Amino acid sequence: MIIKRCHLALLLTLILFSKAFSQENLSEGPFEQLIIRGVTLINGNGAPPLGPVDIEVVNNRIKSIKVVGYPGVEIKTSDRPQLKAGGKELNCEGMYLLPGFVDMHGHIGGIAQGAEPEYVFRLWMAHGITTVREPSGRGIDFALDLKRKSAKNEIIAPRIMAYTGFGQDSDDPINTPEKAREWVRKNAQKGADGVKFFGAEPAIMAAALDENKKLGLRSACHHAQLSVARWNVINSARAGLTSMEHWYGLPEALFEDRTVQNYPLDYNYNNEQDRFEEAGKLWKQAAKPYSDHWNKVMDELIALDFTLDPTFNIYEASRDLQRARRAEWHEIYTLPSLWDFYQPSKVSHGSYWHYWGTEQEVAWKKNYQLWMTFVNEYKNRGGRVTTGSDSGFIFQLYGFAYIREMELLREAGFHPLEIIKSATLNGAEALGMQDEIGSVTEGKLADLVIVEENPLENLKVLYGTGAIKLTDNNEVVRVGGVKYTIKDGIIYDAKGLLREVKEMVQAEKDKLNYQFKQPGMKP
Ligand SMILES: [Zn+2]
């Protein structure tokens, strides 16, 4: 009887476990002492790789970083930090250690996408993302609740900085500067970390940004096309906006011979194909790279300490729809609801390929070149560029898309070390968290990423699916994938997290008897 009861308990436990997807032992710590041994450190401050290094963590903070030898020479044990009773050692000899990544544009997942936090968070953490700025989502209360749970490490999740969509939960329209200020004050009282704007009347934007700045909060803006004719990125930056998202509103700040983009006369903003197709022709209507006006706008933005968060990846389907659509991870890690959401539709935002062909893709490739030229030069002149993904739209999957963003920064002209800086310290600075996170520094929080391969050599090793490699024996293998993500001194098995996501997706498919297929294809 006792044995039977045990069996029943075990069975129940297994059922519960498979439902909650959090049962495998995927995390350990924090520890009174954790020593990570023998890594090559790729820091977030632009410093070149350095190793072998032993890193000592006490609870959730980095206590010491010690160089313990030379490449190719056996490490002398006498020089290494000593393990104390109850301490934990992680032998990472030959591996690479980086600061935890900051995703500056991470929507936790919308109801329309059917992407619940436990799915999204695992994908992020599995890709080394230990901090996320949520630029509005399912409401500030929802985000703040998750933020608190994450701060206490009650859930597997990155640190969350929660920005509220401007005007959210306001009973009546915000149509006076005073109402704008009042909303901003209330938002701060609620405990939000900032405000996400989409554009508004100039007087409202000016008042809201001014009040927000006085309160010491930060801000982000997606300058929607409906408002850019009278208020573009330069207006926002002068009024106190701290970061711009994507790219809209920037070409408008660079216009010289027009005040609105050259819209076709039968354009309709609510037609998604119109919207994205014409956006692809926008950069060439702006001042030419390195022209006086282009230089002037760039230099002023940099002088204002303004952050660019380009989210290159989220528009990639515009220049190569097939690449985004056929990414190898979709079939394993993309939820059916998310896949459905991505399909061409007159209704879903961003599902704009009503008839997306060669002409649209080529125009977008040229659009990207001009955009990337601006972003790269902005970085070269000392401007801050961050790494943000905006996943959950347009075939971009949480976590994976963040790594793709790094690859696109590379394409824009960033050195891989500049990319790591953009993904870590720059994000921390843009959030005002540079004293706590963003680099591997004694005294900072222990948010770390460990990977077996050198990500500077090939950023693809950071993808959960790894990078393809042919061995000396002519065998095709996958290398990389983040091995450990450490947040607050807690070690997460990154590949285990991905396994759980895979199981979640498979369970959904089984439940729905779901056939994964490409748009418009008959079985
Ligand atoms: Zn967004």
Side-chain angles (χ1 to χ4, degrees):
M1 192 62 191
I2 290 165
I3 290 166
K4 266 193 183 166
R5 244 188 226 161
C6 281
H7 277 167
L8 188 66
L10 185 69
L11 187 69
L12 273 173
T13 316
L14 282 174
I15 290 167
L16 284 170
F17 277 9
S18 64
K19 267 206 147 163
F21 294 109
S22 56
Q23 314 314 321
E24 273 185 77
N25 224 349
L26 296 177
S27 67
E28 276 188 280
F31 303 91
E32 273 172 47
Q33 186 200 35
L34 164 67
I35 305 176
I36 304 163
R37 298 219 185 261
V39 290
T40 300
L41 172 63
I42 301 175
N43 215 333
N45 55 8
L50 170 73
V53 159
D54 279 4
I55 294 171
E56 190 184 359
V57 172
V58 172
N59 296 317
N60 66 340
R61 295 218 176 246
I62 299 164
K63 178 155 184 246
S64 71
I65 302 157
K66 190 161 194 289
V67 178
V68 292
Y70 303 88
V73 178
E74 207 180 326
I75 301 172
K76 275 197 284 174
T77 24
S78 57
D79 295 346
R80 311 190 87 167
Q82 298 300 305
L83 191 70
K84 294 173 191 158
K88 159 96 182 170
E89 251 176 339
L90 203 59
N91 181 15
C92 294
E93 227 167 280
M95 297 186 200
Y96 295 80
L97 181 141
L98 303 86
F101 301 143
V102 180
D103 189 337
M104 282 289 285
H105 201 115
H107 297 285
I108 292 171
I111 292 161
Q113 286 97 330
E116 291 303 317
E118 67 258 27
Y119 167 79
V120 174
F121 289 160
R122 277 168 174 71
L123 283 167
W124 278 335
M125 292 284 282
H127 287 89
I129 297 161
T130 50
T131 300
V132 159
R133 179 181 66 168
E134 195 193 42
S136 80
R138 291 195 211 177
I140 192 64
D141 298 331
F142 184 80
L144 286 176
D145 177 52
L146 293 167
K147 177 192 169 108
R148 279 187 284 267
K149 287 176 179 151
S150 167
K152 290 190 222 153
N153 295 306
E154 292 171 1
I155 53 173
I156 298 175
R159 300 175 194 285
I160 297 166
M161 295 299 274
Y163 286 27
T164 318
F166 177 62
Q168 203 171 63
D169 297 331
S170 175
D171 294 331
D172 37 47
I174 298 174
N175 50 13
T176 66
E178 195 33 56
K179 280 188 195 167
R181 288 180 189 276
E182 199 186 302
W183 183 92
V184 168
R185 284 192 294 268
K186 270 194 193 150
N187 181 56
Q189 280 161 14
K190 271 192 176 176
D193 297 299
V195 184
K196 163 81 175 291
F197 294 91
F198 292 91
E201 285 291 307
I204 304 288
M205 285 295 287
L209 284 166
D210 179 60
E211 192 68 28
N212 196 57
K213 196 178 172 187
K214 273 191 206 155
L215 295 169
L217 262 59
R218 288 165 197 257
S219 48
C221 184
H222 167 163
H223 293 82
Q225 297 306 105
L226 294 173
S227 301
V228 291
R230 289 185 302 152
W231 185 275
N232 60 46
V233 163
I234 199 80
N235 303 103
S236 282
R238 286 173 185 159
L241 181 76
T242 59
S243 83
M244 66 167 288
E245 305 308 297
H246 321 306
W247 59 286
Y248 306 108
L250 185 53
E252 285 82 359
L254 297 167
F255 280 167
E256 287 182 300
D257 56 353
R258 67 194 71 231
T259 62
V260 295
Q261 83 181 71
N262 187 21
Y263 291 112
L265 303 182
D266 60 349
Y267 177 100
N268 185 334
Y269 184 70
N270 240 15
N271 175 321
E272 292 275 315
Q273 168 114 9
D274 274 4
R275 196 159 147 184
F276 282 85
E277 183 169 341
E278 292 309 315
K281 301 169 187 165
L282 188 45
W283 272 98
K284 70 171 190 228
Q285 295 167 44
K288 289 205 166 40
Y290 306 99
S291 64
D292 289 346
H293 187 53
W294 192 89
N295 284 328
K296 207 174 115 240
V297 169
M298 180 178 294
D299 293 341
E300 186 176 347
L301 292 176
I302 293 170
L304 289 164
D305 193 29
F306 190 67
T307 298
L308 304 190
D309 187 38
T311 70
F312 286 127
N313 77 93
I314 198 63
Y315 302 95
E316 198 173 25
S318 307
R319 69 171 194 178
D320 192 347
L321 177 56
Q322 178 157 306
R323 180 195 175 101
R325 188 163 58 78
R326 296 308 304 253
E328 63 181 359
W329 39 83
H330 285 314
E331 288 180 71
I332 309 167
Y333 298 112
T334 297
L335 281 170
S337 54
L338 201 46
W339 186 252
D340 290 343
F341 179 80
Y342 292 150
Q343 302 310 307
S345 163
K346 291 185 176 179
V347 182
S348 303
H349 174 48
S351 298
Y352 49 83
W353 30 86
H354 304 187
Y355 195 54
W356 199 260
T358 317
E359 292 306 303
Q360 290 76 11
E361 289 190 355
V362 171
W364 262 95
K365 282 180 189 179
K366 301 204 162 129
N367 209 40
Y368 260 96
Q369 285 165 4
L370 293 165
W371 177 20
M372 285 176 162
T373 302
F374 189 94
V375 173
N376 189 47
E377 181 63 12
Y378 195 82
K379 174 262 300 172
N380 289 346
R381 292 187 196 179
R384 185 183 305 107
V385 177
T386 53
T387 309
S389 68
D390 201 15
S391 300
F393 303 92
I394 327 182
F395 292 110
Q396 295 302 329
L397 184 60
Y398 309 92
F400 288 92
Y402 186 82
I403 308 307
R404 184 63 192 149
E405 184 68 15
M406 291 186 180
E407 288 197 281
L408 291 168
L409 288 166
R410 184 77 190 95
E411 184 179 326
F414 285 50
H415 185 283
L417 283 169
E418 292 175 328
I419 297 170
I420 301 305
K421 179 170 174 279
S422 162
T424 57
L425 195 55
N426 287 10
E429 281 179 7
L431 294 169
M433 296 172 79
Q434 67 276 12
D435 294 338
E436 291 285 55
I437 60 164
S439 63
V440 182
T441 302
E442 289 170 1
K444 282 197 185 184
L445 292 168
D447 285 6
L448 310 164
V449 182
I450 298 172
V451 58
E452 284 169 317
E453 307 291 319
N454 182 355
L456 301 179
E457 228 168 55
N458 181 7
L459 292 162
K460 292 185 199 298
V461 303
L462 295 171
Y463 283 119
T465 41
I468 300 165
K469 193 172 188 178
L470 192 63
T471 66
D472 293 343
N473 301 328
N474 206 27
E475 186 198 350
V476 186
V477 294
R478 291 291 174 125
V479 295
V482 171
K483 188 166 177 66
Y484 302 114
T485 299
I486 300 178
K487 176 203 165 204
D488 254 340
I490 301 170
I491 308 166
Y492 293 89
D493 169 1
K495 291 177 186 185
L497 294 175
L498 276 180
R499 248 186 341 264
E500 289 190 335
V501 171
K502 185 180 169 178
E503 287 165 18
M504 283 183 199
V505 170
Q506 192 54 52
E508 265 307 286
K509 284 182 181 167
D510 292 347
K511 197 175 95 190
L512 302 169
N513 191 20
Y514 191 84
Q515 293 297 315
F516 190 93
K517 64 178 175 52
Q518 293 299 329
M521 299 280 263
K522 299 273 179 293

